[in-house]
Amino acid sequence: LNETLYPASNAKLYCSASTADFGICLSGSGFSQKLLSLVGRVLEGLRLETYCARAPGRLQAQKEELLRSYQNSWIKPQAHCSQLRRLLMLPEMARPTILEKALETVGSKELHIFVNGLYERVGCDILVMGNTSKNELQQWVEQFGRQLALQEQPLVEHEVLRLDPTAAAAVLLEPSVDRTQPNSAVEIYWQLPGRNKFQWCEVRSRVWVMLGLLEEVMSEPLFDTLRTKQQLGYSVGCMGRDSHGVLGFSIYILSAVRRPPALLER
């Protein structure tokens, strides 16, 4: 695909394919009426079976690269701490060590079986924004629709653990992946009641706006107090959290001079 994408990028047209939580995402952008044509060329080039047929020669190197990404994903204490919060709340979350073990069982044969007929087993949603007309999009779908399984998919509601506001705070403590790491990371999370639905709700939107405003109000004095004056840590901040529609708020700090109990007291 590089033979197509490189000259397109010189014309300010971009297209990329990536994996996401919801499947495979093919996205394009640019200021040209040729954008749909570029996306169509890329779609024609996504011959997954062909990639897998060529995979054995490079698969081991690619597996090692993916393995390193799993091994390093929690190596920074702040990222590790943030993922522990998600692990506590989202039962679907998997530790990197579990992903590493799963990767060990996958080879070129298993990958080929997975992608064989993949387009026929999944649905496809198309979202277009900008100056592309409805007629142009319909013509494009008619041309490339045979490669897409345009069928409605059921909505998936992710399970999110609801914290009991009357119970004592849950504490999850783990040593750093890198035992030589001098920093400690702490994140304090408050969960709000209720949950967003699949459609827009004015009340829930207002709650999210309030959390954003609270973040703006707290950020500067929090940074000034904990980092500048008390010099507790390098990274200090707060932000609103949206865990599949369950809203919350957290304060976080990364410190090399104080341990977690002292950080919590402050």
Side-chain angles (χ1 to χ4, degrees), residues 237-257:
C238 62
M239 66 184 304
R241 302 288 190 181
D242 184 346
S243 304
H244 298 304
V246 176
L247 305 182
F249 192 80
S250 65
I251 296 176
Y252 57 86
I253 181 170
L254 180 69
S255 175
V257 298

Side-chain angles (χ1 to χ4, degrees), residues 74-77 80 174-184:
W74 285 18
I75 200 167
K76 294 183 178 180
H80 185 177
E174 282 193 5
S176 175
V177 175
D178 180 5
R179 299 304 176 91
T180 65
Q181 174 62 246
N183 291 303
S184 295

Side-chain angles (χ1 to χ4, degrees), residues 77-254:
Q78 198 157 10
H80 185 177
C81 188
S82 179
Q83 290 303 312
L84 285 180
R85 171 183 52 81
R86 292 175 55 83
L87 189 68
L88 177 66
M89 295 177 53
L90 306 175
E92 66 189 42
M93 282 282 295
R95 289 178 177 271
T97 51
I98 296 177
L99 300 179
E100 292 174 32
K101 292 180 180 179
L103 183 60
E104 293 175 356
T105 65
V106 176
S108 58
K109 178 181 178 181
E110 290 77 16
L111 184 61
H112 185 80
I113 293 174
F114 174 74
V115 303
N116 186 31
L118 180 63
Y119 290 145
E120 288 74 34
R121 301 197 306 270
V122 298
C124 178
D125 290 328
I126 301 175
L127 176 63
V128 177
M129 296 177 289
N131 58 4
T132 300
S133 68
K134 182 178 180 180
N135 290 335
E136 289 176 324
L137 179 59
Q138 288 177 335
Q139 293 175 4
W140 184 88
V141 171
E142 291 174 359
Q143 180 179 356
F144 295 99
R146 60 183 179 274
Q147 302 179 45
L148 306 171
L150 300 178
Q151 54 186 331
E152 185 177 357
Q153 296 293 304
L155 294 174
V156 177
E157 185 169 346
H158 297 269
E159 184 179 355
V160 181
L161 177 67
R162 306 313 306 275
L163 305 180
D164 185 355
T166 64
V171 179
L172 187 55
L173 178 65
E174 282 193 5
S176 175
V177 175
D178 180 5
R179 299 304 176 91
T180 65
Q181 174 62 246
N183 291 303
S184 295
V186 171
E187 180 172 342
I188 307 173
Y189 172 78
W190 293 269
Q191 187 181 82
L192 274 66
R195 185 174 187 179
N196 296 346
K197 304 299 181 181
F198 285 111
Q199 55 268 30
W200 177 79
C201 174
E202 181 177 359
V203 174
R204 297 295 293 176
S205 297
R206 183 179 178 85
V207 172
W208 182 244
V209 169
M210 290 296 183
L211 288 175
L213 183 59
L214 180 61
E215 177 182 338
E216 293 294 328
V217 170
M218 286 185 61
S219 292
E220 185 174 341
L222 191 67
F223 184 90
D224 181 60
T225 300
L226 297 182
R227 178 179 176 179
T228 305
K229 294 179 179 178
Q230 299 185 19
Q231 298 185 349
L232 290 180
Y234 174 76
S235 177
V236 176
C238 62
M239 66 184 304
R241 302 288 190 181
D242 184 346
S243 304
H244 298 304
V246 176
L247 305 182
F249 192 80
S250 65
I251 296 176
Y252 57 86
I253 181 170
L254 180 69

